Amino acid sequence: MEKDSRIILDASVLAGKPIIRGTRISVDLVLDLLASGWDDSQIVEEYPGLSREDVLACIRYAQEIVRSERVYCTDPRGKITG
């Protein structure tokens, strides 16, 4: 996964969830807001410590997670098939 310096993991903050550097704002909060219809300008207005680049970094982080996701088919005994 490509490293984005805006997103960090710190076990002492929010139980190690990915957060935006210098904040206690989690990537999943930003993604939830976007999924709820907020745009980047609304997020930055409501959370003045964030920038548009922070919002974009959250989207890139999620995109990298999805890109690396793999699905494996198994038979009834749990053996990987095809």
Side-chain angles (χ1 to χ4, degrees):
M1 183 180 312
E2 185 178 310
K3 176 88 167 118
D4 190 320
S5 63
R6 291 180 182 275
I7 307 298
I8 63 167
L9 302 166
D10 182 340
S12 67
V13 180
L14 293 180
K17 285 181 147 188
I19 59 171
I20 299 167
R21 181 181 295 284
T23 74
R24 294 181 57 83
I25 299 172
S26 66
V27 169
D28 71 310
L29 171 65
V30 174
L31 295 173
D32 284 345
L33 294 173
L34 291 166
S36 297
W38 290 40
D39 63 32
D40 59 329
S41 62
Q42 289 172 302
I43 294 171
V44 170
E45 185 176 325
E46 186 68 25
Y47 298 90
L50 297 185
S51 67
R52 180 174 190 274
E53 290 75 23
D54 292 326
V55 175
L56 293 174
C58 292
I59 295 169
R60 281 191 303 274
Y61 183 88
Q63 188 272 332
E64 288 290 328
I65 295 290
V66 171
R67 175 187 287 154
S68 64
E69 184 176 329
R70 299 289 181 258
V71 176
Y72 299 97
C73 297
T74 60
D75 66 17
R77 295 177 304 229
K79 290 185 111 183
I80 295 176
T81 61

